[in-house]
Amino acid sequence: MITGSVETIPAFSSAFPFLEQIYFLPRPLDLDMPGWELKKAKRLRYIEHGLFCKYLLNGQLEKVDLQGYPTEASAGFLLPLAYAQRRLYQEEEIPRVALDSVSSNSNVYYFNQLRFFPNSGLYCLVRRTDELWPLLQGCWRVLGDEGLGGDCSSGKGLFQVEFPGEMEFPEITQLGAVVLLGLYYPTVSESAKLDSSYNLMQRAGYIYSPDEQNQRRQTVRMLAEGSVIYEPLSPNGQIVDVTPPGFTAHRVWRDGRAFAVAAAGGKGAM
């Protein structure tokens, strides 16, 4: 976990996969893969923490950095050759039946779910104060018992939570860019000068509240994880009001504050 923030509101990265002691992070969008075909490089979504740190230090990777790795991704992951036959999860297609409320006619439909194999799962990074850490740990345990995701009412999304410690990133002396590890919604002033290699992600979904769980939040578009920002070099972002029209019990918010790490590359490394 990343600690030491002076903010009173904790910040969370997105959730990323892990396999045993291999922790994956999103491939920076300006990262070239030396020796790879362009099409294969575009299919790469995640690299492990060690390669990610080499990119942060040098702005790019060299061929020597990729020794011991295959020359193409496996399901979007760059796994070491020693793990070439390992999989983190399998995707399952589950049939369900919907009944028409008027005629009671049945209609079969399918939805996909991911089932993680043993010693794999998801993790996230947290910036927080020491005073809040016990409270946050309790919140994570409650979430694990209740489940995450749209189908948690059917028993999906349950998980066991662990707190393995801190994840270290290199100290960058000459800052050239920052890499997003969470979704980012720029402020108006940041948008005016934004210079980035980015993907956009649309976020929607339903309210999760004791007062309402069947209304959809307002949709927002945000910069996705792995986006590389060259300006501003200290992005802040903002918390966005996504309360649906007509919902008055309380406000509903989407956290768009930047969760980013420093990189030395910048545009000169592209």
Side-chain angles (χ1 to χ4, degrees):
M1 305 297 179
I2 299 177
T3 61
S5 173
V6 297
E7 298 181 7
T8 57
I9 302 177
F12 302 89
S13 75
S14 297
F16 305 119
F18 72 89
L19 172 61
E20 296 181 357
Q21 298 303 313
I22 302 177
Y23 291 88
F24 291 96
L25 290 161
R27 177 182 71 88
L29 292 182
D30 67 351
L31 173 63
D32 294 325
M33 299 298 292
W36 283 42
E37 297 178 8
L38 181 58
K39 289 184 178 179
K40 292 181 178 180
K42 288 184 176 180
R43 290 195 288 266
L44 176 62
R45 296 180 58 197
Y46 295 102
I47 61 176
E48 63 171 301
H49 172 253
L51 288 179
F52 189 88
C53 289
K54 289 180 180 179
Y55 160 84
L56 295 179
L57 283 171
N58 303 316
Q60 285 298 335
L61 295 178
E62 304 293 338
K63 284 187 177 181
V64 66
D65 297 325
L66 299 176
Q67 291 181 357
Y69 295 89
T71 56
E72 61 179 304
S74 173
F77 294 88
L78 184 58
L79 285 165
L81 290 174
Y83 291 79
Q85 303 303 317
R86 297 287 299 274
R87 297 174 60 195
L88 284 76
Y89 57 79
Q90 68 179 16
E91 189 171 347
E92 302 171 336
E93 193 174 68
I94 309 298
R96 280 191 173 173
V97 176
L99 297 178
D100 187 275
S101 60
V102 178
S103 65
S104 296
N105 291 331
S106 60
N107 180 42
V108 178
Y109 68 98
Y110 296 85
F111 76 99
N112 290 341
Q113 69 178 22
L114 298 181
R115 183 182 299 276
F116 283 90
F117 293 121
N119 300 317
S120 64
L122 298 172
Y123 76 97
C124 77
L125 304 173
V126 183
R127 285 196 178 106
R128 45 77 182 177
T129 60
D130 292 338
E131 293 78 9
L132 283 176
W133 188 225
L135 177 62
L136 292 173
Q137 288 177 311
C139 291
W140 278 112
R141 293 189 177 98
V142 171
L143 284 174
D145 293 337
E146 291 191 347
L148 289 175
D151 219 20
C152 61
S153 60
S154 300
K156 307 292 185 182
L158 303 179
F159 62 91
Q160 293 180 337
V161 61
E162 298 178 356
F163 306 97
E166 298 185 359
M167 177 176 283
E168 296 183 355
F169 292 93
E171 294 186 6
I172 305 300
T173 56
Q174 293 185 339
L175 182 62
V178 296
V179 183
L180 293 180
L181 298 184
L183 300 181
Y184 168 52
Y185 194 92
T187 64
V188 174
S189 60
E190 289 172 338
S191 298
K193 57 183 179 180
L194 182 65
D195 186 6
S196 173
S197 175
Y198 67 90
N199 281 333
L200 289 176
M201 179 175 290
Q202 181 171 294
R203 298 307 304 266
Y206 289 87
I207 293 174
Y208 185 76
S209 164
D211 299 290
E212 179 63 64
Q213 296 187 18
N214 294 318
Q215 287 200 50
R216 294 186 66 89
R217 300 186 296 260
Q218 293 191 62
T219 300
V220 292
R221 290 179 180 269
M222 310 172 77
L223 272 68
E225 308 91 337
S227 298
V228 183
I229 300 178
Y230 313 110
E231 180 66 30
L233 288 176
S234 298
N236 292 313
Q238 58 183 310
I239 298 176
V240 189
D241 189 342
V242 293
T243 307
F247 182 69
T248 59
H250 56 76
R251 309 310 296 172
V252 182
W253 305 94
R254 169 76 69 182
D255 191 353
R257 294 172 299 158
F259 194 110
V261 291
K267 283 196 168 182
M270 297 180 61

